[in-house]
Amino acid sequence: MTTLGAVFRPQLAPERLRAVAELADDVGLEELWLWEDCFREGGISTAAAALAWTERVRVGVGLLPVPLRNVAMTAMEAAGLHRMFPGRAILGVGHGVQDWMGQVGARAESPLTLLRERLVALRALLGGERVTTEGRYVRLDDVALDWPPQGPVEVLAGATGPRTVRLTGEAADGTILTADTPPEGVRQARRLIDEGRAAAGRTDGPHKVVVYLLAATGVGAGERVRADLVAEGVDGEAEVGVAGDAGTVAKAVRRLAEAGADSVILQPTSDEPDPEGFVRFVAEEVRPLVP
C-alpha cells in the first residue's frame, strides 16, 4: 500500500503549524512532512511540536542539512523524538542547498563526502553503537548516546544527482526525492539505489523511497503549479506536478508508486490559499483512490 502524506511548507508562519497538524491527525492523514529551509523554521523544533500536539500522524522532516549540525547533536535530538514518540518520527538528512550553506559559513568542499560520513556516524549512534572515527568532516572520540532509540529506526537521505542517489543506497535506510522527479526519474533512482546497496553489500531489509509531488486543486490550480515549476526552473515538458480534482491527483500518485515510490508526499504550491483544506483534500478525497 502506498503511503500518502502532505507537506506543511515553511513559507507558512510557524504559528500556523498547530492547526494544520491537529487537523491532519483528526482526518487520518498518514504523514505530515516539514522542511528545514534556510532561513525559516527549524526541523527538530517544529517536528517536536507537531508530534506533541497530535496522537497518531507520523511527522517527517525532509531535510535536515548536515553542514549546519554536529552529528552527535543530530543523533541526540533524533533519539529524543524516537523515544518520546515511538514509531511516529521520520528524519531525513541532506547535504543542503550550497548557496544557503555558503551564507552561514558552512559550505563543505565535498558535500558528498560530508553526507557519507554523517550518514555512517548517525546510523551507528542511533543504533546504540559507541563510535570513534576520524574522517574528513566527522570526528568522534568514544561517543555513544545515553538514550538511544529503543528499537531500530530509519535514517533517510535526500538526493538529486546520480552520485548522491547511489550513496543513499550505500549508507541510508531510505531516499527522499524532490518534486521535480518524474516517474522515469523514480525508476532510475531505484536502479542507482540498488547499485549502491549492492556495492556496500547491504542486505538489511527494504529501502524506502519517498517522493514529493507538487499538487494543487480548486480555482487557479494549474496556474499555481506552473508558477511554482517555473520558479524552480523545471522544464515545462517534464512529467511533474499535477493540478485537478482528486481523481487526477490520485492518478499522478499511482504513476509514481508504479515507478517505485513507497511514499508519495503531496506538496502544496508556495501560495496555497488553504493549507488546512489541502490536508483535508489529501486525506479524505485522494487517499481513498490510492491503493
Side-chain angles (χ1 to χ4, degrees), residues 7 17 58 62 75 101 112 125-126 136 158 164 172 182 192 214 221 277:
V7 177
L17 176 59
R58 296 188 294 274
M101 299 304 100
L112 197 67
L125 290 168
L126 291 175
R136 181 174 178 181
T164 310
L192 292 168
L214 180 66

Side-chain angles (χ1 to χ4, degrees), residues 7-17 20 40-41 270 272 275:
V7 177
F8 175 88
R9 292 187 63 141
Q11 284 85 357
L12 295 170
E15 58 267 25
R16 297 286 304 275
L17 176 59
V20 174
R40 294 186 172 108
E41 296 159 7
S270 56
E272 167 60 52

Side-chain angles (χ1 to χ4, degrees), residues 141-195:
D141 181 11
D142 195 34
V143 176
L145 298 177
D146 281 10
W147 299 104
Q150 294 174 304
V153 298
E154 295 176 326
V155 176
L156 278 60
T160 51
R163 293 175 63 203
T164 310
V165 175
R166 191 177 290 109
L167 170 61
T168 67
E170 295 176 29
D173 301 301
T175 303
I176 302 171
L177 303 174
T178 62
D180 61 356
T181 308
E184 182 52 39
V186 177
R187 293 186 186 93
Q188 176 65 15
R190 274 290 185 192
R191 290 191 287 269
L192 292 168
I193 290 164
D194 289 344
E195 288 177 13

Side-chain angles (χ1 to χ4, degrees), residues 120-150:
V120 170
L122 182 58
R123 291 180 69 239
L125 290 168
L126 291 175
E129 298 180 29
R130 184 170 296 277
V131 181
T132 296
T133 185
E134 184 73 22
R136 181 174 178 181
Y137 296 104
V138 175
R139 298 174 180 85
L140 299 173
D141 181 11
D142 195 34
V143 176
L145 298 177
D146 281 10
W147 299 104
Q150 294 174 304

Side-chain angles (χ1 to χ4, degrees), residues 211-228:
V211 185
Y212 291 122
L213 172 61
L214 180 66
T217 191
V219 177
E223 290 77 6
R224 289 190 285 114
V225 167
R226 282 191 291 274
D228 267 26

Side-chain angles (χ1 to χ4, degrees), residues 16-31:
R16 297 286 304 275
L17 176 59
R18 182 167 190 164
V20 174
E22 290 179 342
L23 176 68
D25 215 41
D26 291 343
V27 299
L29 186 73
E30 291 157 88
E31 295 182 357

Side-chain angles (χ1 to χ4, degrees), residues 10 20 22 53 58 63 71 88 101 106 119 127 149 153 161 165 169 209 213 225 230 239-240 253 266 274 278 280:
V20 174
E22 290 179 342
W53 289 326
R58 296 188 294 274
L63 301 162
V71 69
R88 294 182 55 214
M101 299 304 100
L119 281 168
V153 298
V165 175
V209 172
L213 172 61
V225 167
V230 169
E239 192 182 351
V240 296
V253 172
L266 298 185
D274 182 8
F278 184 82
R280 189 179 294 277

